[in-house]
Amino acid sequence: EIVMTQSPATLSVSPGERATLSCRASQSVGSNLAWYQQKPGQAPRLLINGASTRATDIPARFSGSGSGTEFTLTISSLQSEDFAVYYCQQYNNRPQTFGQGTKVEIK
Amino acid sequence: QVQFVQSGAEVKKPGASVKVSCKAFGYSFSTYAIHWVRQAPGQGLECMGWINPGNGNKIYTERFRDRVSFTSDTSAGTVYMDLSSLRIEDTAVYYCARGPTYSGYDFWGQGTLVTVSS
């Protein structure tokens, strides 16, 4: 099973600032990586597919990069609605696995 | 529009079974796999496996393989997840989600809370 490790566990950021979240895979997953946003009491929402392709209706301030084992999600200028938990997921190998999440909180 | 509606919350005793349904709307039901993901209280997301309603193929994550079963009813546009021999630690929100081949999950159900308590 591929282990996905996200860092940091919690990121404190002021509105308008840039946030950079990391995700590392225990072995290469190519570009078969997705990012999700989850708010309390809600289902996850797909943000990024194929490591760098924004999903439908996702604002341009969200961008993804990386391949192989190292990936990054960047939120260029945090808005109030962006404070949430973010998960990465690899879908290259079975079982598909998620990272443990990064909570982005208001500084 | 694409939407998934799941069945309501359940409370079960240890050792019992639970069946959660997930009804799809707004797309050709047989075209995409449906994945099941669970989330224990305050915890992260865990894949349980998936079913392809088009051909009935199923993949189960190893740790659930002996207790979980996925079925689909194409005429009703619904998939089901059965989990047996419930334990306290199975208390979680269970989600269904659409998963195109080699893609993340683009649409999710609202989740079903299953509480296992004596």
Side-chain angles (χ1 to χ4, degrees):
Chain A
E1 173 174 317
I2 295 178
V3 177
M4 307 300 291
T5 303
Q6 293 186 238
S7 60
T10 303
L11 187 59
S12 298
V13 185
S14 299
E17 289 189 340
R18 183 186 193 90
T20 303
L21 289 68
S22 296
C23 175
R24 173 176 291 178
S26 60
Q27 64 188 75
S28 177
V29 298
S31 295
N32 293 314
L33 184 111
W35 289 95
Y36 299 87
Q37 176 193 69
Q38 188 179 34
K39 297 179 180 179
Q42 296 184 17
R45 177 175 71 145
L46 180 66
L47 298 176
I48 300 288
N49 218 357
S52 60
T53 303
R54 278 190 304 278
T56 302
D57 295 330
I58 300 303
R61 63 180 181 273
F62 291 93
S63 63
S65 63
S67 66
T69 61
E70 301 284 343
F71 301 89
T72 301
L73 174 70
T74 301
I75 312 171
S76 59
S77 176
L78 271 155
Q79 307 299 301
S80 57
E81 62 266 30
D82 301 334
F83 292 96
V85 179
Y86 292 83
Y87 294 95
C88 63
Q89 178 210 22
Q90 68 81 19
Y91 47 86
N92 192 64
N93 286 46
R94 298 173 188 165
Q96 300 178 357
T97 47
F98 290 89
Q100 81 280 17
T102 290
K103 181 180 181 180
V104 177
E105 64 176 24
I106 300 174
K107 186 174 182 179
Chain B
Q1 68 280 21
V2 177
Q3 187 180 5
F4 292 96
V5 177
Q6 297 184 222
S7 49
E10 303 264 12
V11 179
K12 297 291 184 180
K13 293 193 182 299
S17 298
V18 68
K19 187 169 188 171
V20 178
S21 67
C22 168
K23 185 172 175 61
F25 298 89
Y27 74 99
S28 177
F29 178 66
S30 299
T31 306
Y32 299 99
I34 302 296
H35 295 250
W36 289 93
V37 177
R38 80 175 188 179
Q39 186 171 38
Q43 302 300 309
L45 302 166
E46 182 174 29
C47 294
M48 301 179 70
W50 73 84
I51 181 169
N52 184 329
N55 58 21
N57 287 349
K58 306 158 196 180
I59 297 291
Y60 300 116
T61 297
E62 182 64 31
R63 65 173 295 207
F64 298 106
R65 189 184 303 274
D66 59 347
R67 296 197 295 136
V68 73
S69 176
F70 305 145
T71 54
S72 67
D73 180 344
T74 304
S75 63
T78 302
V79 297
Y80 302 90
M81 187 277 297
D82 275 279
L83 187 62
S84 62
S85 302
L86 288 168
R87 309 159 184 164
I88 302 292
E89 54 266 34
D90 290 320
T91 295
V93 176
Y94 290 77
Y95 294 101
C96 62
R98 192 177 82 166
T101 303
Y102 277 107
S103 172
Y105 308 160
D106 55 1
F107 291 94
W108 294 63
Q110 83 277 18
T112 297
L113 175 62
V114 175
T115 303
V116 184
S117 173
S118 55

